[in-house]
Amino acid sequence: MGSDEIRSQGFSLKELFREMTYEIDYYQRDYTWGEDEVRTLLRDLCDSFKGWSTDPAYLRRPGTAPQYFLGPFVYYEQSRSRRCLVDGQQRFVTLHLILLQLRRLAQEFGYNKAVDRLNRVITTDGEHFAVGITDHEPVLRAVVEGRKYETGTGDSLSRRNLWARSQQIESQLVEDLDAERLHRFTEWLLDRVALVGIRAAGPDHGYRMFETMNDRGARLTAVDLLKSHLLSHVGANEDQLNTQWQEMLRELTTDREDPSAASRFIKAFLLARCAREDQDEDRQQIETNLNVWVRRNAAHLGLVPERPDRFLQFVQDLLTSARLFRPLLAASRELKKVGDRLETVLYNERNGMHGQAVAVLAAINPGDQPSDAKDKGRLIASYMDRWYALRVLQDLPVQSADADALVHTTLVPLLRGCRTTDDVASALGSLVERDGGSPGEAITLGLRGNNAHQIRYLLARATTYVEEACQRPHDVLAYLDRDRFHIEHLWANHHHRVAQEIPDAVIFRSRRNQLGGLGLLMGRENSSINDLPLHEKSPLYARSNVLLGIIAPGYDRRNPILREFIKTHRLDKTLRPFGPQETMTSVVQTRQALYLRLFEHIWNPEHLGLPASSQNEQTHPGEPTAAQAHPAAARRRPAAGRRRTDVAKMIDSQILKPGTQIVLTYRSTDHWATIDENGGIILNATGGTPYGRVDEAGAVARGTKTCQGMNEWHIEDADGTRISLRTLRDRSSASSAL
């Protein structure tokens, strides 16, 4: 290899890390990827895997599936088994964390083959990590050993961030993958995910490449190519088009330098205003290669050579829309509560509903006044936020694919026909009525293995609502930060303390995790008091937020604002203190009703500017809803939107019938559950809100973090023989019944 010769090679992850150690040079920055970057990477990987895993041809012959390209990296070789990363540290460290968490889950599930494969890429010799950054090692050891890493004052930014992202990855993997998919995802990740390595000749050459990649101009993007295409056809208006194009870019980058802002905006504009509703391929092509789509669909867009004025008009519409959209773009980056009241825009972004920009642009017209465009955006963002909250409360999926389906299938066709703000409000009001459901139905919903992000969001919104109403300082972004505020369990995980009241450990675990048994507490407070009994913790809650502080007797004394809030919202029976003799059941049920009442206020359609639904249940705050008065009502779920699990498919195919009893045996104890009409799992011991996945229900029954639900839940035939759900599914598939 010549002194400055550059070579490239594609590597699958199993090839990339096998018997190879990666280090970083002195000029590399700390590990700085945040929650958004990691969430996006994991979401992209999981979504791509799900697309692959639903194709029967790829399942039969995995090697024929296209590889998922994860981008390039630059390195130079120090020896045959040691490489130094010039560019790509953030992705490498994140991938390493994903592999570590996958191995931990595979160990819990007993997937020995996956554990063995992961061992080979996590370490080089069973001891030294493949991504060998010395500063990271204490955190990685804690992850491997399954213990908490206690951050200290001397810890680097990398260590603190590494631990936070590790915990995030653990939660997101559990949320996105059930036990059965975990093994296949691991195989796909190692075999079909690839990076391209660009090899520098040595350290000096690598440093020059690093400088070039970070200090010099970037290559042409799809946005640049689109601009060039438009300029080449606009004729005499070339200068005017160029000026307006530059103005559009300035509108999109004023608030924060973001090189991808223009691309995201133009894609959203095309999806909102130009993509054909009856052609699914439009959406895919716009998202992958927007400039090519514009050229191929010139006639549809009116961008034909004989009409150069149309090219200028196209850019003028982009510019006008960018100006109208700018406040909403800013709100997606920074909390905008005062004045603009666009806070739900940021909430939606944090909750993975990035398609809201498409929905908003579908409703905004170039001739709108800025205030009208802002009002339309507020209504749409508020509707999407309410949609998200209701689906969480109904235990329906809220993954990015579900939010995208809402935007492209429902909102865009509806909003394209709206002209005024009133039109938008009326259209969204009709959706509210069609959606049905009420926060008051979630009488037993709580923390499960895969919904920590969603439960935190509900708690943060309730906490903020009460703090704001009581005129107390608050920071909703701090409540949403898992490092600053922890989800606090009112009861420590010690069943023996309440065994006399609740003999059944399953009921104890379920009740302990209900919303009514949770709150948000500053991290350092949580770490110091989380093992204490409630009556000892409650006085310490008094220095926290109102929702926790009110538990302490006497908290509301000399607090007229709080008392007025309780009175006007009719919360005297729920927002109240509890004495040391109050039972766990009473406290949890009372506070569950409190949270659901607060959610009714927070997501009240009229308060959001949406017309009230005539079908919505009319109750006064503080009074029980029909679902609370009749718990069986909370078990009814709309079939549309339920996760398409294997159990749900077997219900649809009549292989299983609603009401089927299933049993899981753990440590010589049988735990029974009932399958509802939508494939949800209702634990007989607890009743209430169905679990969407058999893994979740099994983990609660067992009292463990994970469970191979399809293997461990069984049906009993007429002779009393037990058949696992997995066996039943496989037999049904083999006979083409499923």
Side-chain angles (χ1 to χ4, degrees):
M1 185 172 178
S3 60
D4 283 335
E5 187 175 346
I6 299 173
R7 293 181 179 177
S8 64
Q9 179 183 351
F11 298 93
S12 66
L13 293 196
K14 68 179 178 184
E15 297 167 335
L16 196 67
F17 292 114
R18 184 183 297 162
E19 299 179 357
M20 184 65 64
T21 299
Y22 291 86
E23 300 175 353
I24 60 172
D25 240 326
Y26 67 92
Y27 48 79
Q28 291 274 16
R29 58 180 176 168
D30 287 334
Y31 177 62
T32 58
W33 262 20
E35 187 173 347
D36 289 343
E37 289 90 347
V38 171
R39 183 187 299 115
T40 299
L41 173 63
L42 259 180
R43 184 181 294 126
D44 289 346
L45 288 172
C46 289
D47 287 350
S48 297
F49 162 73
K50 289 171 186 175
W52 170 86
S53 65
T54 55
D55 191 316
Y58 294 155
L59 292 177
R60 287 193 300 270
R61 301 178 61 189
T64 64
Q67 287 187 308
Y68 179 85
F69 177 55
L70 204 55
F73 69 98
V74 182
Y75 71 98
Y76 64 85
E77 290 191 347
Q78 296 173 312
S79 68
R80 290 176 61 89
S81 61
R82 296 168 71 87
R83 292 173 180 152
C84 190
L85 285 172
V86 173
D87 186 74
Q89 177 204 169
Q90 308 297 317
R91 273 173 299 150
F92 268 63
V93 172
T94 305
L95 285 169
H96 199 230
L97 284 176
I98 292 172
L99 296 174
L100 283 168
Q101 291 294 359
L102 283 173
R103 182 176 67 173
R104 187 192 61 75
L105 290 170
Q107 288 172 329
E108 291 184 11
F109 288 132
Y111 291 147
N112 294 329
K113 180 181 177 182
V115 171
D116 182 58
R117 291 200 69 191
L118 289 163
N119 281 338
R120 297 177 194 174
V121 294
I122 289 172
T123 64
T124 55
D125 53 7
E127 182 178 353
H128 297 93
F129 292 110
V131 181
I133 302 174
T134 305
D135 182 56
H136 296 181
E137 188 157 329
V139 180
L140 300 183
R141 291 291 173 201
V143 175
V144 168
E145 295 166 10
R147 57 181 171 82
K148 182 177 180 180
Y149 179 75
E150 300 289 350
T151 56
T153 55
D155 275 340
S156 64
L157 171 63
S158 286
R159 283 191 191 176
R160 293 173 180 273
N161 196 42
L162 199 66
W163 176 248
R165 301 290 71 79
S166 170
Q167 300 309 289
Q168 176 190 347
I169 289 168
E170 178 186 13
S171 297
Q172 196 168 337
L173 284 174
V174 173
E175 180 179 335
D176 286 348
L177 301 170
D178 58 24
E180 285 219 285
R181 284 183 168 180
L182 177 76
H183 181 69
R184 282 184 176 173
F185 178 75
T186 300
E187 297 284 333
W188 174 83
L189 188 70
L190 293 175
D191 296 334
R192 307 310 300 165
V193 174
L195 293 89
V196 170
I198 302 172
R199 181 180 172 187
D204 293 340
H205 189 209
Y207 182 63
R208 292 199 302 274
M209 291 177 66
F210 177 84
E211 285 187 313
T212 300
M213 295 176 70
N214 288 278
D215 292 341
R216 298 183 187 176
R219 56 186 180 177
L220 290 177
T221 66
V223 172
D224 298 320
L225 294 171
L226 175 61
K227 174 189 173 184
S228 177
H229 169 68
L230 297 172
L231 281 170
S232 67
H233 289 84
V234 75
N237 293 316
E238 185 178 82
D239 289 343
Q240 188 178 357
L241 186 147
N242 184 62
T243 298
Q244 294 188 352
W245 187 272
Q246 296 304 319
E247 288 181 14
M248 177 195 69
L249 296 182
R250 283 194 292 273
E251 293 290 345
L252 299 172
T253 57
T254 297
D255 294 287
R256 185 184 67 182
E257 287 300 323
D258 182 355
S260 63
S263 175
R264 290 199 308 274
F265 170 77
I266 295 173
K267 287 178 183 179
F269 177 90
L270 295 173
L271 291 167
R273 308 269 277 276
C274 306
R276 288 159 288 205
E277 295 174 18
D278 57 344
Q279 295 192 24
D280 294 338
E281 61 269 21
D282 275 7
R283 177 183 165 196
Q284 181 179 358
Q285 291 175 7
I286 289 171
E287 289 179 338
T288 56
N289 211 339
L290 66 90
N291 66 299
V292 173
W293 183 85
V294 169
R295 280 192 267 183
R296 288 178 178 173
N297 293 275
H300 167 63
L301 297 171
L303 298 176
V304 292
E306 56 269 22
R307 292 297 304 272
D309 58 304
R310 295 279 182 86
F311 291 83
L312 180 61
Q313 185 62 51
F314 180 79
V315 176
Q316 288 174 337
D317 287 347
L318 278 174
L319 171 58
T320 304
S321 298
R323 285 173 175 161
L324 294 172
F325 185 69
R326 177 181 171 181
L328 292 124
L329 177 64
S332 71
R333 298 166 170 171
E334 184 180 356
L335 192 66
K336 301 287 184 181
K337 281 190 84 172
V338 179
D340 286 344
R341 295 182 296 115
L342 294 173
E343 60 269 25
T344 52
V345 176
L346 181 61
Y347 299 155
N348 290 338
E349 284 295 315
R350 294 179 66 95
N351 288 329
M353 294 194 288
H354 307 302
Q356 73 174 334
V358 178
V360 170
L361 287 168
I364 291 178
N365 300 300
D368 282 346
Q369 293 297 315
S371 59
D372 292 334
K374 195 182 300 182
D375 289 342
K376 289 179 178 180
R378 182 185 305 108
L379 288 169
I380 294 165
S382 296
Y383 170 80
M384 293 183 68
D385 178 54
R386 183 178 186 273
W387 174 90
Y388 178 90
L390 282 181
R391 286 180 72 90
V392 172
L393 289 163
Q394 294 170 350
D395 193 39
L396 295 174
V398 287
Q399 302 301 319
S400 57
D402 305 297
D404 287 345
L406 168 72
V407 168
H408 297 287
T409 304
T410 302
L411 292 178
V412 168
L414 186 70
L415 295 171
R416 277 180 176 178
C418 295
R419 291 293 172 263
T420 67
T421 302
D422 288 342
D423 290 343
V424 172
S426 178
L428 295 176
S430 68
L431 289 184
V432 168
E433 186 163 353
R434 189 199 71 177
D435 292 344
S438 164
E441 295 178 1
I443 59 171
T444 59
L445 182 69
L447 189 65
R448 299 177 178 178
N450 69 333
N451 70 347
H453 174 83
Q454 292 91 340
I455 294 299
R456 172 180 293 278
Y457 181 65
L458 295 179
L459 292 171
R461 291 299 301 276
T463 303
T464 300
Y465 182 79
V466 177
E467 295 291 283
E468 193 171 74
C470 293
Q471 301 177 25
R472 286 168 50 97
H474 59 278
D475 183 355
V476 65
L477 297 185
Y479 300 148
L480 292 170
D481 188 332
R482 57 186 294 157
D483 297 325
R484 296 173 65 182
F485 276 80
H486 295 175
I487 295 178
E488 159 77 351
H489 284 83
L490 303 187
W491 272 266
N493 194 18
H494 297 301
H495 178 218
H496 65 273
R497 293 179 181 172
V498 294
Q500 187 172 356
E501 175 200 346
I502 308 174
D504 191 318
V506 176
I507 296 177
F508 165 73
R509 288 193 292 270
S510 176
R511 198 155 292 165
R512 175 177 180 264
N513 282 311
Q514 282 183 218
L515 272 171
L518 306 173
L520 290 178
L521 187 63
M522 192 169 289
R524 61 176 179 267
E525 297 280 358
N526 177 268
S527 300
S528 62
I529 70 173
N530 64 4
D531 210 39
L532 296 175
L534 179 61
H535 69 274
E536 294 184 24
K537 286 196 286 189
S538 61
L540 303 176
Y541 286 160
R543 60 194 183 200
S544 186
N545 54 71
V546 173
L547 274 179
L548 281 178
I550 193 66
I551 294 174
Y555 181 85
D556 59 343
R557 293 175 192 160
R558 295 184 297 278
N559 195 336
I561 297 176
L562 173 57
R563 291 201 301 273
E564 181 63 21
F565 173 75
I566 293 171
K567 179 181 178 181
T568 57
H569 285 66
R570 301 186 183 183
L571 297 175
D572 54 296
K573 296 180 180 179
T574 55
L575 190 58
R576 64 176 181 84
F578 299 94
Q581 302 306 314
E582 198 102 28
T583 65
M584 177 182 182
T585 300
S586 173
V587 174
V588 171
Q589 289 180 344
T590 300
R591 287 183 61 81
Q592 190 90 3
L594 166 64
Y595 279 124
L596 300 185
R597 263 300 124 221
L598 294 174
F599 297 152
E600 294 277 8
H601 284 284
I602 293 168
W603 286 292
N604 182 312
E606 289 185 281
H607 294 169
L608 302 177
L610 306 173
S613 168
S614 61
Q615 296 179 3
N616 276 358
E617 192 172 13
Q618 298 297 315
T619 59
H620 293 291
E623 296 178 357
T625 65
Q628 292 167 315
H630 304 285
R635 300 180 184 177
R636 292 191 291 271
R637 285 287 181 273
R642 169 63 67 187
R643 292 181 177 90
R644 291 293 84 199
T645 62
D646 286 334
V647 175
K649 292 174 184 176
M650 287 193 280
I651 288 285
D652 292 343
S653 302
Q654 299 183 340
I655 296 163
L656 291 171
K657 295 180 179 179
T660 296
Q661 295 286 299
I662 56 177
V663 61
L664 177 150
T665 303
Y666 184 67
R667 294 184 176 176
S668 303
T669 300
D670 284 349
H671 301 280
W672 290 87
T674 304
I675 302 176
D676 74 4
E677 65 271 23
N678 299 308
I681 311 299
I682 303 170
L683 295 176
N684 290 3
T686 62
T689 306
Y691 290 86
R693 301 194 306 201
V694 287
D695 294 358
E696 300 169 359
V700 173
R702 289 162 37 117
T704 56
K705 292 181 68 173
T706 56
C707 172
Q708 294 187 53
M710 293 297 288
N711 275 346
E712 298 194 41
W713 285 105
H714 295 71
I715 62 168
E716 279 192 353
D717 63 17
D719 299 326
T721 302
R722 293 185 175 183
I723 304 169
S724 73
L725 292 179
R726 171 176 280 180
T727 299
L728 181 64
R729 180 205 61 193
D730 292 346
R731 288 179 183 175
S732 301
S733 297
S735 65
S736 300
L738 184 62

